[in-house]
Amino acid sequence: MIKEKGLGQVNRVLIYILFTIISFFVIYPLVYVVSGAFAPGNSMASLNIVPFADGFTLDHFVHLFTRTDYGRWFLNTLIISVETSLATVLVASLAAYVFSRFQFKFKKPFLMSLLILQIFPSFVGMIAIYVILYRLGGLDTLWGLVLVYTAGNIPYNTWLVKNYMDTVSKNLDEAARIDGAGHFRTFFQIIMPIARPIITFLGITSFTAPWMDFIFPKMVLRSVENQTLALGLFSFVSDKKNEFTIFAAGALIVAIPFVIFFLFTQRTLVTSFGGAAVKE
């Protein structure tokens, strides 16, 4: 009995040590970036390996907003992310409602085509995307980038929302039609409130995906005033520059919208997806 208790304590200590080591390797890079944002100097090589051992300064944040176009990059990225999130939620949820509630010819082939489209990586069609945007006049525009992100989000997210809507009882739709509601009214006033957890999840993922994307902004955007945060921050650590501390300060500010967004949506996110309505 005593021996088993001793082994249990040893195992507990080993588990604590293991998780402490794992936590260190996960948390240390984040703490190092935060310390770099407030450390004097510019070069990463000049930073002390011990976080916050070099001192404290706010010069890098002042530099970002007074000597660079960081504010413009932030606004451009925010516009792209918000518009992409809203467009994705609207289009994917409407498409999911149609596939979930209506029976029509070629329904299964359409669903399978959406699934097949999701298999291929997005950069496979970069040449086609570039040509289409060129023909539409969408190169070097924010709306062109929103169009690219929204189109890429539709296939998988339509499946995701459709599977959730399938769990919502169709008796609710029938009761709404008896009361004289049309399809759009049923969708916006009954289905959307019930599907709020999955819609919130979709909105968050659609917002965060373009926030720090580099490939498509690099392909679509050309002018300095239309640059996004990813392009602007990368310019601080390119071959011609080694301003790691300024890069760290900019990356730290990037995290603010995610923290605010999470604080406002955490209660909805923890809501059980299956408990929103009565299943058939």
Side-chain angles (χ1 to χ4, degrees):
M1 184 73 178
I2 298 177
K3 186 177 180 179
E4 292 179 357
K5 185 177 181 180
L7 289 175
Q9 291 178 349
V10 172
N11 291 335
R12 192 178 298 110
V13 171
L14 290 176
I15 292 174
Y16 286 153
I17 294 174
L18 176 62
F19 278 100
T20 301
I21 295 174
I22 295 175
S23 300
F24 173 80
F25 282 105
V26 172
I27 297 175
Y28 178 79
L30 301 178
V31 176
Y32 193 76
V33 171
V34 174
S35 67
F38 296 98
N42 291 330
S43 176
M44 183 178 180
S46 63
L47 294 179
N48 197 306
I49 193 172
V50 179
F52 300 102
D54 296 302
F56 185 89
T57 181
L58 296 176
D59 292 343
H60 306 310
F61 296 94
V62 176
H63 178 88
L64 281 174
F65 290 99
T66 58
R67 299 183 182 180
T68 69
D69 294 324
Y70 186 86
R72 184 65 184 177
W73 303 337
F74 193 97
L75 180 61
N76 290 340
T77 308
L78 184 63
I79 292 173
I80 293 171
S81 298
V82 171
E83 292 183 357
T84 299
S85 179
L86 294 176
T88 301
V89 167
L90 180 62
V91 176
S93 58
L94 279 172
Y97 177 72
V98 171
F99 283 116
S100 176
R101 289 304 194 258
F102 296 96
Q103 297 295 330
F104 51 90
K105 195 174 182 180
F106 302 121
K107 176 181 176 179
K108 289 186 177 180
F110 279 140
L111 285 172
M112 289 303 300
S113 64
L114 291 177
L115 192 61
I116 293 173
L117 285 173
Q118 196 62 31
I119 297 175
F120 299 97
S122 56
F123 58 82
V124 171
M126 289 185 67
I127 296 178
I129 292 173
Y130 185 89
V131 173
I132 292 173
L133 288 180
Y134 176 76
R135 298 290 176 86
L136 294 176
L139 289 178
D140 198 25
T141 62
L142 301 185
W143 68 263
L145 201 55
V146 172
L147 184 64
V148 172
Y149 287 134
T150 304
N153 288 338
I154 289 175
Y156 173 76
N157 291 313
T158 299
W159 265 93
L160 183 68
V161 181
K162 182 236 179 232
N163 290 335
Y164 182 88
M165 289 185 178
D166 287 342
T167 67
V168 179
S169 175
K170 293 183 180 179
N171 292 332
L172 299 175
D173 301 56
E174 296 174 1
R177 283 195 293 270
I178 292 174
D179 291 337
H183 292 300
F184 279 100
R185 185 177 178 184
T186 301
F187 172 74
F188 285 106
Q189 294 187 358
I190 297 177
I191 303 299
M192 285 287 282
I194 293 176
R196 186 175 60 178
I198 193 67
I199 296 299
T200 304
F201 175 78
L202 174 59
I204 293 175
T205 55
S206 302
F207 178 88
T208 57
W211 190 258
M212 286 305 294
D213 182 43
F214 180 83
I215 297 178
F216 284 109
K218 185 68 174 177
M219 179 186 72
V220 176
L221 304 178
R222 291 290 182 270
S223 57
V224 178
E225 60 271 15
N226 287 334
Q227 280 189 337
T228 60
L229 282 171
L231 298 178
L233 290 178
F234 182 76
S235 64
F236 294 130
V237 289
S238 61
D239 295 336
K240 299 180 181 179
K241 292 184 179 180
N242 184 21
E243 299 176 339
F244 172 77
T245 51
I246 298 178
F247 172 87
L252 189 61
I253 298 176
V254 168
I256 294 177
F258 294 99
V259 175
I260 297 175
F261 208 39
F262 175 76
L263 291 177
F264 280 101
T265 58
Q266 60 177 336
R267 180 173 297 180
T268 305
L269 286 177
V270 299
T271 302
S272 174
F273 282 1
V278 178
K279 296 183 181 180
E280 288 187 320

